[in-house]
Amino acid sequence: MSQKEGLRANSFQFTLEGEPFRILGGSIHYFRVPRAYWEDRLLKMRACGVNTLTTYVPWNLHEPERGVFNFQDQLDLKAYISLAAELGLWVILRPGPYICAEWDLGGLPSWLLRDKNMKLRTTYPGFTEAVNSFFDKLIPIIKPLQFEEGGPIIAVQVENEYGSYAKDEQYMPFIKEALLSRGINELLLTSDNREGLKCGGVDGVLKTVNLQRLAYGTIQYLAYMQPQKPLLVMEYWSGWFDVWSESHHVFPAEDMLAVVTQILEPGVSINLYMFHGGTSFGFMNGAVAHLGTYKPQVGSYDYDAPLSEAGDYTTKYQLLRNLFSQFHSEKLPEVPSLQARRVYDPVIIQQHLSLWESLQFTEKPLKSEEPVNMENLPVNSNNGQSYGYTLYETTISSGGLLNSKKNVKDRALVFVDRHFVGVLDYKSVEFALPDGKGERTLSLLVENCGRVNYGKALDDQRKGLVGDIVLNHVPLKDFTIYCLDMKPNFLKRLSAASQWNSVPQKPSFPGFFQGMLYVDGHPRDTFIRLPGWSKGVVFINGQNLGRHWSIGPQKTLYLPGPWLKSGNNQIIVFEEQKADDKLVFVENPDHGKTIDVYKYPFCVLL
């Protein structure tokens, strides 16, 4: 057990073990990197001259249902932190409970929203009780990994960017006490952008700042607010995230290097957010609500970071390595070799199963007079539905004007007698249904495209149908509601179904399309491309890779080699509207057309 002092912030510079210490940090999220590659990515970070790993902890993955906890396999936080220590890295842990991170609901579990009065990130009892329950499980895992107990954790962040939310003055003291009372004894930090610094701190906790450009005197402002203290840029944004239908954001390497150099010159510490972004696999991407406009994020979290989505070196990596080497008395470790990639033969789609045929493999549907949002469905042991699609079906006896009253969250494909008739979303809130004879079935397949992860709208992130849909100004009633969260057990039942048929000339949409990828020899990383397809989800051996959408910018899905096996690998594509007869593989990602991040207004505001 270490008897030396941990990280201290008692003067203009940090000290660690009683010696001056500069944090050269980098963020890599264990939940965005296949576990088989944790070591590879951390070794590459170490070889760049980074001395401190930072990571968030996603509550919604670790407690997917209330009282059901998962810290195993891909979510083995103890193993990740211990591995960092073995490789010579210190750790700053950011346990939330809110993490932002371009992650669904900022990492908060959707089952919190079952309470119609829920006030997230406040001292509302329904929220604090859930936080206490989660911390009762989480903190005992990380407590033995603190510096004072011989571990690598030298600092812990209290919540995240609360100054940009600031709805409850008692909340930050509550989170601070929740950490201290459970035995967190290392240095505590908060992190905020410039505006958030005004009201994001808490007594006795070191403030840090998040930024990308050195405008507005942000670091000087931090020094003014907190004299006689070391300065840390907790999030230096090395790039930026992407949203569907816009461009891929890049931050030129030379611009980044110039700012990092300026930050380091006067002795300021830094953490690169991200050092390696990885992938928001499955349905876990967040969304932006900027000036009232909802924009879901793509699955790739490449972030234009120094290590690419697949762990490749970039110009940024080389420039940073040269710069960081000046802050080390010893030579940096050798740069690890890259993972080999492979372009597999195209996968021919062999079988098809319509959405309608798949409904028998879902949980028992709910009959309800009113529409019920997905979080309040009586599924998943009464924890509701978190992600994916929800199908609402009712009977109509006429055509006319169908209006969503803005109650579709986020996007609905509309069918009459299972024939596609239109889309309802944030831009398209009404259209005319065709007339027909007698009673017909109206179906709305509603997709949760990702909950907003930043800003004041967190309490309003219920998904599915969140209120009435009207036909000719009359609310529709008597729904049958199916949960299509497409979790592994559903995929297993689907795979074993006898209803799969060879692909017809004109397949029914939406539908599931199946093919086999044969891997000869050791599996390698690759990227899937879906030319000729429209929008949907890709599954490999039951694992949800994420969404594809022809509007871009993201054109490829990262397929990690460790998720494949030698021999046959099952690929299932859920496709909403248009399919080709094959999937193709490429060696390198296509993130779409690019735009300089500083031309993106949301980033400028931050």
Side-chain angles (χ1 to χ4, degrees):
M1 191 181 288
S2 170
Q3 297 303 310
K4 294 184 178 176
E5 261 196 344
L7 189 67
R8 297 289 182 266
N10 297 329
S11 66
F12 285 110
Q13 63 184 156
F14 290 106
T15 59
L16 181 61
E17 301 178 315
E19 300 292 326
F21 181 71
R22 186 201 295 257
I23 296 165
L24 298 174
S27 292
I28 301 181
H29 300 152
Y30 57 100
F31 47 96
R32 281 185 158 124
V33 178
R35 180 168 178 167
Y37 285 156
W38 286 354
E39 184 169 357
D40 173 77
R41 306 307 194 250
L42 294 181
L43 282 170
K44 287 170 176 170
M45 189 161 80
R46 184 88 175 78
C48 192
V50 170
N51 59 26
T52 305
L53 165 70
T54 67
T55 184
Y56 283 129
V57 177
W59 181 7
N60 54 11
L61 291 189
H62 287 295
E63 193 179 1
E65 297 178 6
R66 189 187 290 270
V68 176
F69 297 94
N70 181 3
F71 288 93
Q72 306 297 313
D73 305 320
Q74 183 66 47
L75 297 175
D76 192 338
L77 178 59
K78 179 182 177 182
Y80 185 63
I81 295 171
S82 301
L83 177 63
E86 284 172 36
L87 301 179
L89 292 162
W90 299 109
V91 174
I92 297 176
L93 195 67
R94 312 174 81 191
Y98 163 82
I99 62 172
C100 185
E102 288 71 66
W103 194 253
D104 187 277
L105 202 60
L108 301 175
S110 66
W111 46 258
L112 291 166
L113 297 173
R114 288 174 68 81
D115 176 353
K116 68 181 190 301
N117 300 313
M118 177 55 66
K119 294 176 180 61
L120 301 172
R121 303 178 74 195
T122 70
T123 51
Y124 174 73
F127 187 70
T128 56
E129 286 162 18
V131 171
N132 280 326
S133 172
F134 175 52
F135 276 13
D136 283 345
K137 288 288 182 188
L138 171 65
I139 305 302
I141 292 170
I142 60 179
K143 182 179 180 294
L145 299 167
Q146 295 180 98
F147 179 90
E148 69 167 16
E149 301 201 28
I153 297 175
I154 55 173
V156 175
Q157 186 174 298
V158 182
E159 234 266 354
N160 189 59
E161 297 179 313
Y162 195 69
S164 302
Y165 199 70
K167 290 189 177 184
D168 183 342
E169 289 180 2
Q170 299 307 308
Y171 175 66
M172 287 295 278
F174 159 72
I175 296 295
K176 177 189 172 185
E177 182 56 28
L179 295 169
L180 292 176
S181 64
R182 290 169 175 82
I184 295 298
N185 293 324
E186 302 304 329
L187 183 71
L188 295 181
L189 315 166
T190 57
S191 96
D192 286 283
N193 60 27
R194 190 188 192 285
E195 279 302 299
L197 281 173
K198 295 173 187 172
C199 43
V202 60
D203 287 348
V205 174
L206 185 73
K207 292 182 174 73
T208 69
V209 74
N210 304 337
L211 55 82
Q212 186 165 62
R213 304 260 187 177
L214 289 176
Y216 316 115
T218 302
I219 292 178
Q220 293 87 336
Y221 182 55
L222 177 63
Y224 162 76
M225 290 190 77
Q226 201 168 240
Q228 309 290 317
K229 291 289 183 186
L231 299 169
L232 168 59
V233 177
M234 186 63 203
E235 290 186 16
Y236 176 71
W237 300 319
S238 63
W240 202 244
F241 59 85
D242 296 338
V243 297
W244 289 111
S245 85
E246 296 191 1
S247 299
H248 170 53
H249 296 105
V250 295
F251 184 37
E254 293 73 17
D255 292 4
M256 183 211 71
L257 184 73
V259 181
V260 173
T261 303
Q262 275 183 278
I263 289 171
L264 293 175
E265 267 171 12
V268 178
S269 285
I270 193 169
N271 174 62
L272 294 154
Y273 186 98
M274 299 295 294
F275 185 83
H276 167 56
T279 310
S280 302
F281 291 110
F283 293 130
M284 299 312 299
N285 63 274
V288 173
H290 178 46
L291 301 178
T293 303
Y294 170 85
K295 297 176 181 179
Q297 293 144 7
V298 304
S300 168
Y301 202 57
D302 178 85
Y303 209 82
D304 194 31
L307 270 188
S308 76
E309 180 178 13
D312 293 336
Y313 302 113
T314 66
T315 303
K316 286 181 181 175
Y317 182 96
Q318 308 298 350
L319 293 173
L320 284 169
R321 189 167 190 262
N322 291 340
L323 177 61
F324 287 172
S325 67
Q326 299 166 28
F327 298 90
H328 292 267
S329 53
E330 297 174 5
K331 192 177 177 207
L332 293 180
E334 287 296 310
V335 171
S337 56
L338 290 174
Q339 301 289 332
R341 285 221 275 276
R342 201 153 152 204
V343 178
Y344 297 102
D345 291 338
V347 165
I348 305 303
I349 298 300
Q350 295 158 326
Q351 292 187 299
H352 168 262
L353 182 70
S354 77
L355 169 75
W356 318 110
E357 291 170 306
S358 78
L359 296 178
Q360 61 192 293
F361 305 113
T362 65
E363 285 197 43
K364 184 182 175 186
L366 172 69
K367 305 274 190 186
S368 174
E369 186 180 357
E370 313 283 339
V372 177
N373 56 288
M374 64 160 58
E375 296 82 1
N376 284 93
L377 293 176
V379 296
N380 297 315
S381 308
N382 275 330
N383 285 276
Q385 180 181 348
S386 293
Y387 314 108
Y389 296 77
T390 310
L391 180 69
Y392 298 80
E393 293 199 322
T394 187
T395 302
I396 56 172
S397 51
S398 73
L401 196 62
L402 184 70
N403 189 302
S404 72
K405 309 292 283 183
K406 297 187 176 177
N407 286 324
V408 166
K409 309 287 182 186
D410 297 298
R411 184 173 182 272
L413 302 181
V414 184
F415 305 85
V416 174
D417 283 344
R418 299 186 167 173
H419 293 287
F420 175 71
V421 292
V423 173
L424 292 171
D425 57 20
Y426 291 96
K427 291 177 182 169
S428 171
V429 296
E430 68 176 18
F431 64 86
L433 288 182
D435 285 323
K437 290 179 181 174
E439 292 195 335
R440 296 174 296 163
T441 300
L442 177 72
S443 307
L444 294 97
L445 180 65
V446 186
E447 181 189 7
N448 165 9
C449 297
R451 293 183 184 85
V452 167
N453 57 270
Y454 178 86
K456 306 274 189 179
L458 295 182
D459 289 339
D460 304 320
Q461 294 307 305
R462 292 171 186 86
K463 298 296 185 178
L465 294 186
V466 300
D468 284 332
I469 305 291
V470 299
L471 179 59
N472 299 325
H473 308 290
V474 178
L476 294 168
K477 302 285 185 188
D478 299 321
F479 289 90
T480 303
I481 308 172
Y482 298 84
C483 164
L484 283 152
D485 49 11
M486 303 189 189
K487 287 161 81 167
N489 282 340
F490 170 77
L491 265 292
K492 273 184 193 164
R493 293 192 294 270
L494 198 69
S495 300
S498 58
Q499 287 84 354
W500 290 92
N501 292 305
S502 55
V503 185
Q505 190 72 36
K506 288 191 173 178
S508 158
F509 292 99
F512 295 89
F513 295 80
Q514 185 177 183
M516 283 293 174
L517 167 62
Y518 183 77
V519 174
D520 186 9
H522 187 68
R524 300 291 185 190
D525 287 5
T526 191
F527 287 88
I528 297 180
R529 196 177 176 108
L530 295 105
W533 299 72
S534 175
K535 184 179 187 309
V537 191
V538 180
F539 303 88
I540 179 83
N541 294 329
Q543 294 245 43
N544 187 338
L545 280 189
R547 303 173 220 258
H548 71 91
W549 198 355
S550 58
I551 63 170
Q554 180 180 343
K555 299 291 188 189
T556 50
L557 281 84
Y558 174 50
L559 172 49
W563 288 13
L564 296 169
K565 59 192 180 192
S566 296
N568 280 325
N569 295 265
Q570 180 198 54
I571 295 185
I572 291 178
V573 181
F574 174 69
E575 172 56 52
E576 294 182 12
Q577 289 190 289
K578 180 185 168 198
D580 193 39
D581 62 354
K582 63 183 178 298
L583 310 175
V584 298
F585 299 89
V586 292
E587 186 174 355
N588 295 307
D590 182 352
H591 298 299
K593 65 182 189 295
T594 62
I595 186 172
D596 189 315
V597 66
Y598 223 58
K599 293 174 182 167
Y600 186 56
F602 186 61
C603 185
V604 176
L605 285 173
L606 288 177

